[in-house]
Amino acid sequence: MPWTRIAAFLGLFAALYIAAAAIAELRVGRAGQGAMQELLAAKGRQVDWIVLGASHALPLAYGGVPERLEAETGQTMMMLAEVGAGPLYADFVLRQALLDLEPMHILYVADSFAFRSPRWNEERIADRKLLRKTPWRSSMLGILAGMAGSGGVAPGALADYVTNFSKLNPPDRFPQDDWRGAENFDRSFRPSRHATGARIGYLYPEGAAKADPARYLDALEAMFARARAEGLSVTVVKLPVPDAFREALPGEAEFDAALAARLAPLGIPLHDLSAALADPRLYFDTDHLNRDGVELLYERHLGPILAAGG
């Protein structure tokens, strides 16, 4: 009968799809690098510091800050920052971290651009490149379902995650690295007005400099409330950038004031180190510290902050 054949065909298709999805999960979702993969590998560990934020935080890992901190103070650190991650994406990571780890402190690296656009928040959670390297887990499914239901994340992100679609179908048939931070870490950058302008244009899409950051400051407060309810302490830092880059950031003074106004009533320390290292030779591109920059940052500023627990 036709219906019998249709049922058999659909059953075979489902079986083949499930098998392909399982293989993709092992070869893609659990074989690469990313915050979510780090959490899966470290499940059950006690960690003193988890680091959340965007790409400005990643050179800390490249420069061996977690290893040095542990050697000098006995404190452990896990890097859970992600390129282009705004506070909503950081909260996405934190929710899973609170299930997987036993953390004591959060070091949140604040960047004004991350509070100006959905591109770095809701859209980042739904980004197929990141979903592709997010391991399939029932706990993660619940978190993503909740954020799709009430957090403004597109329902398509949930469907993609459930079906492993992006792991089976690469977002780019001929992928190119968007940012080669680890590869360029030992370089020194020669200042360029054109490069700085291009970078600012990328970070602030659709003229987002005029966007009110209140929505994502609310998300940041909610994330910190969740962390503190679990007994974690929170420290916020703004990491150094070259003078030319900092001066080109739109609405930076207003953002700094808004961030400080949110954190002060909560008693959360804010360490603004954005002007601490002005020499462009301490950066490998327009705004990311290189090895020498991370070394100076740790010795002069970050090391004492971490040693004191924030």
Side-chain angles (χ1 to χ4, degrees):
M1 294 179 63
W3 289 111
T4 303
R5 293 181 180 180
I6 291 173
F9 173 80
L10 292 176
L12 177 61
F13 175 82
L16 291 174
Y17 190 95
I18 291 171
I23 294 171
E25 176 66 22
L26 292 174
R27 293 186 176 181
V28 178
R30 303 190 177 214
Q33 294 181 334
M36 298 303 189
Q37 292 163 327
E38 291 288 334
L39 284 174
L40 179 61
K43 187 176 181 180
R45 279 182 53 188
Q46 189 278 322
V47 180
D48 293 295
W49 289 92
I50 57 173
V51 182
L52 299 171
S55 62
H56 283 143
L58 295 177
L60 302 182
Y62 305 154
V65 167
E67 293 80 5
R68 183 169 178 180
L69 179 68
E70 185 169 11
E72 294 179 359
T73 70
Q75 297 184 88
T76 54
M77 173 182 280
M78 179 173 291
M79 179 60 63
L80 297 178
E82 185 63 74
V83 175
L88 201 63
Y89 191 90
D91 189 30
F92 181 46
V93 175
L94 176 64
R95 294 184 195 208
Q96 186 64 50
L98 292 175
L99 296 176
D100 287 338
L101 307 175
E102 297 179 21
M104 295 180 63
H105 312 285
I106 290 176
L107 181 69
Y108 182 76
V109 177
D111 285 293
S112 60
F113 81 89
F115 292 78
R116 301 286 192 178
S117 173
R119 177 176 181 177
W120 313 119
N121 292 280
E122 294 91 342
E123 293 175 20
R124 200 67 175 127
I125 294 173
D127 191 325
R128 290 185 59 205
K129 291 181 180 179
L130 291 186
L131 287 172
R132 181 172 168 80
K133 61 178 186 176
T134 300
W136 206 104
R137 307 174 64 185
S138 59
S139 56
M140 179 62 64
L141 177 61
I143 294 168
L144 190 54
M147 298 188 84
S150 61
V153 176
L158 179 61
D160 187 315
Y161 184 71
V162 168
T163 60
N164 266 0
F165 181 81
S166 287
K167 293 166 190 168
L168 286 165
N169 301 275
D172 295 317
R173 290 297 180 183
F174 304 98
Q176 296 179 351
D177 291 334
D178 295 324
W179 187 68
R180 300 178 179 179
E183 181 180 328
N184 297 330
F185 184 57
D186 287 299
R187 298 180 181 179
S188 291
F189 178 71
R190 179 175 295 180
S192 163
R193 183 178 301 178
H194 173 75
T196 296
R199 175 70 171 158
I200 296 295
Y202 171 75
L203 293 175
Y204 294 84
E206 76 258 348
K210 297 179 180 179
D212 185 356
R215 176 182 179 184
Y216 296 116
L217 285 170
D218 289 344
L220 187 72
E221 280 196 57
M223 178 179 74
F224 289 164
R226 179 176 295 104
R228 298 174 88 178
E230 296 291 332
L232 281 69
S233 71
V234 178
T235 299
V236 178
V237 298
K238 292 190 67 183
L239 292 185
V241 292
D243 286 346
F245 183 84
R246 189 179 68 259
E247 292 166 1
L249 290 170
E252 191 71 357
E254 292 80 2
F255 171 78
D256 289 347
L259 178 62
R262 293 293 189 108
L263 298 180
L266 303 176
I268 293 176
L270 170 61
H271 302 275
D272 187 355
L273 308 177
S274 56
L277 301 175
D279 189 344
R281 292 175 296 181
L282 299 176
Y283 299 84
F284 67 78
D285 63 8
T286 55
D287 53 301
H288 294 91
L289 290 165
N290 62 17
R291 189 176 301 279
D292 291 339
V294 169
E295 181 75 13
L296 283 177
L297 173 70
Y298 184 86
E299 290 180 356
R300 295 180 181 178
H301 305 284
L302 192 57
I305 292 171
L306 296 171

